[in-house]
């Protein structure tokens, strides 16, 4: 198992995002130049959705957009207008993030083996910062839709041997037996 080149991950993110935006939202998602950043981003205003990836490789996917763009995405997904960011808007952004990062996870599994995806967490507010506990480099892939920009940030690293899940399974596990 070897590291996937950054350019391949960028292409996977671009393909996953274009697919979700064209089939589920019927919105354009114009690719912007990607970049690499170290550490966590500066404080922001808007909506961020976070999803974790686990298995032989560990990562985090983040989708960030303004409140206005979150309402636009929710409107396209749920086919209604939203005048404010509410629970439905946050749920819609979570679902879009789940689809994009989920498609990316599936593409990565072809080279990295089975991976698990966490449930999305969505945060909305002003002047807040979402941090990840481990220092790392982020791949940042922005998309423009009309006058709005959505950033998809992704980091991926080998999972330390001591924290690996021995037999990652794809089938659901019930706590009830």
């Amino acid at each position: 198992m070897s590291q996937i080149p950054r350019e391949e991950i960028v292409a996977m993110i671009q393909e996953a995002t274009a697919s979700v935006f064209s089939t589920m939202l019927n919105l354009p998602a114009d690719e912007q130049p990607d970049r690499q950043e170290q550490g966590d981003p500066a404080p922001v205003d808007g909506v961020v959705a976070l999803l974790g990836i686990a298995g032989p490789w560990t990562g985090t996917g983040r989708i960030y957009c303004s409140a206005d763009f979150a309402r636009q995405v929710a409107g396209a997904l749920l086919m209604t207008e939203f005048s404010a960011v509410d629970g439905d808007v946050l749920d819609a952004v979570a679902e879009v993030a789940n689809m994009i990062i989920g498609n990316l996870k599936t593409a990565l599994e072809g080279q990295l083996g089975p991976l698990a995806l966490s449930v999305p967490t969505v945060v909305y507010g002003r002047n807040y910062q979402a941090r990840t506990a481990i220092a790392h480099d982020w791949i940042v892939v922005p998309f423009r839709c009309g006058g709005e920009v959505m950033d998809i940030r992704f980091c991926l690293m080998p999972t330390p041997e001591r924290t690996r899940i021995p037999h990652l399974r794809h089938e659901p596990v019930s706590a009830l037996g």
Side-chain angles (χ1 to χ4, degrees):
M1 167 173 47
S2 63
Q3 176 113 18
I4 298 175
R6 180 179 168 283
E7 298 78 27
E8 283 186 43
I9 294 174
V10 168
M12 290 175 189
I13 292 169
Q14 290 169 334
E15 184 176 327
T17 304
S19 174
V20 169
F21 268 66
S22 66
T23 61
M24 301 304 296
L25 304 175
N26 197 27
L27 292 173
D30 299 324
E31 299 168 4
Q32 302 297 298
D34 62 272
R35 62 189 184 274
Q36 190 157 341
E37 292 181 5
Q38 189 172 17
D40 292 304
V44 295
D45 295 343
V47 178
V48 65
L50 305 129
L51 290 104
I53 291 181
W57 289 75
T58 301
T60 301
R62 288 186 186 175
I63 295 181
Y64 165 76
C65 63
S66 69
D68 288 341
F69 192 58
R71 291 185 303 110
Q72 182 181 354
V73 165
L77 185 66
L78 302 174
M79 294 188 263
T80 190
E81 289 188 30
F82 292 92
S83 60
V85 175
D86 62 12
D88 289 335
V89 171
L90 297 177
D91 288 347
V93 172
E95 184 54 35
V96 169
N98 194 48
M99 288 186 276
I100 291 170
I101 302 302
N103 285 345
L104 172 59
K105 176 198 80 83
T106 300
L108 291 167
E109 286 178 320
Q111 296 180 47
L112 301 179
L115 299 167
L117 187 65
S118 73
V119 174
T121 298
V122 182
V123 179
Y124 167 58
R126 292 188 179 154
N127 196 32
Y128 69 90
Q129 185 175 22
R131 296 183 47 103
T132 301
I134 299 172
H136 50 271
D137 291 333
W138 290 94
I139 296 170
V140 183
V141 185
F143 292 86
R144 181 169 293 284
C145 181
E148 297 286 341
V149 175
M150 177 182 70
D151 278 350
I152 299 179
R153 303 173 71 85
F154 188 71
C155 68
L156 187 68
M157 62 199 82
T159 301
E161 194 65 40
R162 69 184 183 283
T163 61
R164 287 197 184 172
I165 301 168
H167 299 289
L168 184 64
R169 302 183 336 196
H170 286 285
E171 65 272 5
V173 177
S174 171
L176 301 176

